[in-house]
Amino acid sequence: MEIKKSAAFLQGEVYENPKAAFSQALESLGMGDDPEIQDYLQKVLGSSDPKNDDHQQAIRPILERLLATGEKEKAGLLFNIHRIFTEFAGYGANEKTSSDVDACFEEGHEIPNEGVIVVDFFATRNLPKIISILESRGIDISRIRVHAPRAILALQMLLMSDEKRVEFTDACGKLTEDQFRAEDVYHVDDIQIQEPVALWFSPRTMPIHPRLHAETEVETVDNYIQAFRERVAMVLPDGRIYANLAFSEKFEPLRVEVETKKRVLTKLTGMSREVATQIITALLDAGFSPINESEVEEFDPTAGNANIDHRKLAMELHFKRK
């Protein structure tokens, strides 16, 4: 029987016709015929100034309406679309490689010989450097699996600059279409990991996750712990996870917030300190240990030691399965 070889990613619709793929993804998720969403998308896509504060004002009532009508998963996807469109720090399609890539993939951090290497969400930002490092280490890049909602991946393809497109094309021309798991889902966590995992690289993707964000902190903790347990269940012995977690001190129900620091930013509520603490505790209980274990001999979230407490472990979440 002849085995059909997957086409190159660069020959697929998400890369060749990202605008159509983006529209189809929103349509399949029930967002294609929402006039307010479509009006916002048309305005920001046609803008020559993605960082204009007007875009932050325009998205706010739409997110508030989606939350009020119980459509929080739609709000979550739209928020991530908004972050890419309006170039939140680190989220723009043309951002330089994150420092997380070196911290996770550099020599000295072993990658098991078996299992896939899952890369979440930030394809245009991080994937070219990841491929370069893996090739320099002699690691087969056919093991890479890129997980991103199709709407997110298509939008990144759509918004690439000429310079970024050259960088991305040169690197990702080596990958096949079936290495990209770009499904019509609201959040990258909704894409199930189906193969044994050597490395799960997911910085910045989990702290704001509306499906997991419940009315109470106790429920939210339970939801997050279950989600993390499901994802790390596929990690092999000596496999690693890199999923740093930003968090707020106090739990807040899911709502729209406006930040006015370096620029005006409209965003959704993220996880609390307690949620991050309990995730780390659950990972330790599941047989994972911090990469810098010499600095963290025993984990005690009540101890308050800035060098070894959950803040350090959560914000630099880099664990290895024993």
Side-chain angles (χ1 to χ4, degrees):
M1 182 178 67
E2 182 181 354
I3 298 175
K4 185 177 179 182
K5 186 177 181 180
S6 176
F9 173 71
L10 301 186
Q11 296 173 349
E13 184 183 30
V14 171
Y15 182 81
E16 289 202 326
N17 194 351
K19 191 170 185 178
F22 178 68
S23 296
Q24 290 163 9
L26 293 186
E27 186 73 30
S28 73
L29 294 169
M31 300 169 70
D33 58 355
D34 186 310
E36 285 187 297
I37 291 176
Q38 291 302 314
D39 184 57
Y40 160 78
L41 294 176
Q42 291 303 316
K43 285 180 179 176
V44 72
L45 186 58
S47 173
S48 60
D49 181 11
K51 295 186 178 182
N52 192 306
D53 288 350
D54 289 347
H55 304 319
Q56 304 298 326
Q57 298 300 326
I59 196 68
R60 181 174 183 175
I62 305 173
L63 293 175
E64 289 176 336
R65 188 250 302 170
L66 291 173
L67 294 185
T69 55
E71 299 174 287
K72 63 182 184 179
E73 291 186 79
K74 288 184 181 179
L77 177 60
L78 184 61
F79 171 57
N80 277 325
I81 288 170
H82 172 70
R83 287 204 274 195
I84 295 169
F85 262 135
T86 59
E87 300 178 0
F88 275 49
Y91 282 82
N94 299 299
E95 292 278 354
K96 294 181 180 179
T97 305
S98 167
S99 60
D100 296 319
V101 172
D102 282 332
C104 179
F105 288 90
E106 65 186 2
E107 291 280 357
H109 292 313
E110 293 306 311
I111 297 174
N113 293 327
E114 302 295 327
V116 297
I117 298 166
V118 178
V119 178
D120 276 355
F121 197 96
F122 294 98
T124 55
R125 182 179 192 190
N126 290 330
L127 199 52
K129 180 68 177 293
I130 290 170
I131 291 172
S132 175
I133 293 176
L134 292 179
E135 287 186 320
S136 71
R137 295 183 59 177
I139 296 171
D140 186 356
I141 63 172
S142 70
R143 296 169 63 190
I144 292 174
R145 301 291 183 269
V146 182
H147 287 195
R150 183 163 65 131
I152 296 298
L153 185 61
L155 187 58
Q156 291 174 346
M157 299 298 107
L158 181 64
L159 297 180
M160 282 192 292
S161 65
D162 291 341
E163 181 181 4
K164 177 62 74 171
R165 188 171 299 277
V166 169
E167 176 191 46
F168 184 86
T169 302
D170 286 348
C172 297
K174 305 168 187 177
L175 302 183
T176 58
E177 195 170 16
D178 62 2
Q179 288 181 256
F180 287 77
R181 298 205 60 207
E183 301 177 3
D184 288 340
V185 294
Y186 297 107
H187 193 280
V188 68
D189 179 55
D190 299 327
I191 300 173
Q192 298 300 309
I193 295 176
Q194 299 179 339
E195 301 165 275
V197 173
L199 175 60
W200 172 41
F201 180 68
S202 190
R204 300 170 66 121
T205 64
M206 295 295 284
I208 297 177
H209 192 340
R211 179 172 62 81
L212 303 181
H213 203 116
E215 291 298 312
T216 69
E217 189 169 41
V218 171
E219 292 175 288
T220 303
V221 165
D222 289 344
N223 290 343
Y224 264 99
I225 287 177
Q226 180 64 26
F228 267 83
R229 281 177 176 163
E230 289 175 359
R231 295 196 84 68
V232 304
M234 299 297 287
V235 177
L236 294 166
D238 295 324
R240 289 183 290 121
I241 58 177
Y242 191 105
N244 48 27
L245 302 173
F247 54 85
S248 300
E249 290 299 317
K250 182 181 177 183
F251 175 80
E252 296 282 356
L254 187 63
R255 60 184 176 85
V256 180
E257 304 172 341
V258 178
E259 182 180 292
T260 56
K261 295 179 181 176
K262 293 182 179 179
R263 56 181 287 209
V264 175
L265 298 173
T266 298
K267 51 196 250 185
L268 295 179
T269 310
M271 66 166 57
S272 67
R273 183 185 183 102
E274 178 64 15
V275 174
T277 301
Q278 295 303 326
I279 289 171
I280 298 302
T281 302
L283 290 173
L284 292 166
D285 290 344
F288 286 83
S289 59
I291 293 298
N292 298 320
E293 190 167 15
S294 61
E295 300 176 21
V296 193
E297 294 180 0
E298 290 188 22
F299 172 72
D300 180 1
T302 64
N305 186 324
N307 293 318
I308 65 174
D309 74 0
H310 64 281
R311 175 186 291 276
K312 178 180 176 63
L313 295 182
M315 298 188 76
E316 300 177 6
L317 198 160
H318 191 186
F319 276 34
K320 180 178 181 179
R321 175 156 247 160
K322 298 176 183 177

